[in-house]
Amino acid sequence: MLHDAEIDFAITSGQACVYFGVQQTTRGSDWIIAPDGLSKLKYWLTAVNAAGTFAVSYRSVCGAPVEQQFLGNGWTSHLLVTDADSDQHPVDFFGKPPRVIQLDRDGSEPDFASRNVVARMKKTDREKDWPFVVALAQQAFTAGDLRAVLHGTNPQWLMESWKSVPESLHDDFFRQRPLLRLVNSNPDRLRRAMAIEKQLWMSVNRQRYRVYQLAWKEFFRQWRREPEFSWPPDLPFSDQHLLLVNAARNYGLPECPLSDSARQ
């Protein structure tokens, strides 16, 4: 249906891990939508909800409206989609997914983000996500994607895999993952460096998420003071969306919470 609506997307995270065979099940789905396609997505969601194809609703968890100025600056939109069988599906939409520099897709099935993209998104502050990073890296290397060395966390595997990386790529890979310099110069330090690197990624993700969480909480505290407030209300998606957009404008939900601290 998204193809028919000419909405550019890539499925990522849990459903992508299921597709790649490194995860068995997942309840929700995560979609990367090109920022310039978010307006189309908003109108499509409104249309399928109005037609009764799906029941579409925002969820109560912190998140921004499906608008380019928010999702293009790192926010996520959290929705609940109920199908004709009354099965409920948590659905998250990203415009600018965390830790992803450039979106690329799986070579065999372009509806899915590449293993490189999914591995980047799985470098979270949740311990349970990290085994998927390792599995995706190993698969990617076997498939010929040398960017796998940016994600592997086994020193012996990394040292063997690094031999396949041409020297012309070294500087770019060193820039993206500095500990790769240790592969030849000081391999005995790799295991400790990897442990430090993982803690850095986890810390960065916690801090990044906290910026958005605090911004939402401050906005929500003001919004909920409205008389007869409820969120999400039992209304069509179009009405919910208008309420959220108006509230974001009236109570100062920042479009880009990281504007002053992203580099740090």
Side-chain angles (χ1 to χ4, degrees):
M1 293 176 72
L2 291 179
H3 281 305
D4 291 342
E6 298 182 343
I7 296 171
D8 189 22
F9 69 91
I11 302 168
T12 187
S13 296
Q15 293 287 359
C17 286
V18 171
Y19 168 71
F20 291 128
V22 298
Q23 185 173 337
Q24 288 187 325
T25 60
T26 184
R27 181 164 174 255
S29 60
D30 299 89
W31 305 71
I32 301 171
I33 306 293
D36 59 4
L38 288 165
S39 290
K40 285 184 179 180
L41 176 67
K42 175 182 63 178
Y43 290 120
W44 178 80
L45 289 167
T46 298
V48 296
N49 182 220
T53 309
F54 301 118
V56 181
S57 172
Y58 280 101
R59 305 206 313 270
S60 59
V61 295
C62 77
V66 181
E67 295 285 349
Q68 180 174 349
Q69 66 265 35
F70 290 100
L71 270 64
N73 283 307
W75 282 100
T76 308
S77 289
H78 304 285
L79 276 62
L80 187 68
V81 175
T82 305
D83 62 26
D85 296 323
S86 299
D87 290 330
Q88 295 183 325
H89 307 274
V91 178
D92 293 341
F93 290 110
F94 298 86
K96 184 180 180 181
R99 296 171 295 281
V100 175
I101 298 170
Q102 182 177 354
L103 174 61
D104 53 81
R105 303 163 189 278
D106 179 60
S108 301
E109 179 48 82
D111 283 354
F112 288 86
S114 70
R115 291 175 175 87
N116 174 58
V117 166
V118 180
R120 287 179 181 273
M121 291 188 70
K122 283 293 187 182
K123 291 180 179 179
T124 72
D125 53 312
R126 302 184 303 182
E127 191 68 44
K128 67 178 185 178
D129 285 334
W130 282 84
F132 301 123
V133 177
V134 176
L136 290 164
Q138 293 173 343
Q139 282 190 357
F141 186 80
T142 301
D145 188 347
L146 298 179
R147 293 173 299 178
V149 299
L150 300 173
H151 310 300
T153 59
N154 179 288
Q156 192 61 44
W157 178 88
L158 188 61
M159 288 187 288
E160 288 298 317
S161 302
W162 184 251
K163 295 175 184 177
S164 300
V165 179
E167 192 170 346
S168 60
L169 294 177
H170 284 190
D171 286 345
D172 182 43
F173 283 8
F174 289 156
R175 179 182 58 81
Q176 295 190 58
R177 194 181 192 190
L179 66 73
L180 291 171
R181 296 181 183 275
L182 299 175
V183 172
N184 293 326
S185 66
N186 202 338
D188 290 341
R189 291 179 58 197
L190 270 176
R191 189 173 299 279
R192 178 172 175 78
M194 285 178 173
I196 294 171
E197 179 192 57
K198 178 179 176 181
Q199 292 304 315
L200 282 169
W201 276 118
M202 295 178 79
S203 176
V204 165
N205 192 61
R206 272 194 300 269
Q207 293 188 48
R208 182 199 63 83
Y209 179 74
R210 182 170 171 77
V211 170
Y212 287 90
Q213 186 181 48
L214 290 176
W216 169 268
K217 284 184 175 180
E218 178 60 27
F219 151 76
F220 196 69
R221 268 197 295 267
Q222 298 181 61
W223 185 22
R224 68 187 302 178
R225 292 172 185 161
E226 288 189 354
E228 301 181 6
F229 169 85
S230 71
W231 184 254
D234 186 17
L235 293 171
F237 175 77
S238 58
D239 294 336
Q240 286 187 0
H241 181 76
L242 185 60
L243 278 173
L244 183 54
V245 169
N246 287 337
R249 181 177 60 250
N250 294 336
Y251 298 109
L253 182 66
E255 294 176 1
C256 185
L258 285 176
S259 58
D260 298 326
S261 57
R263 182 63 182 173
Q264 179 182 351

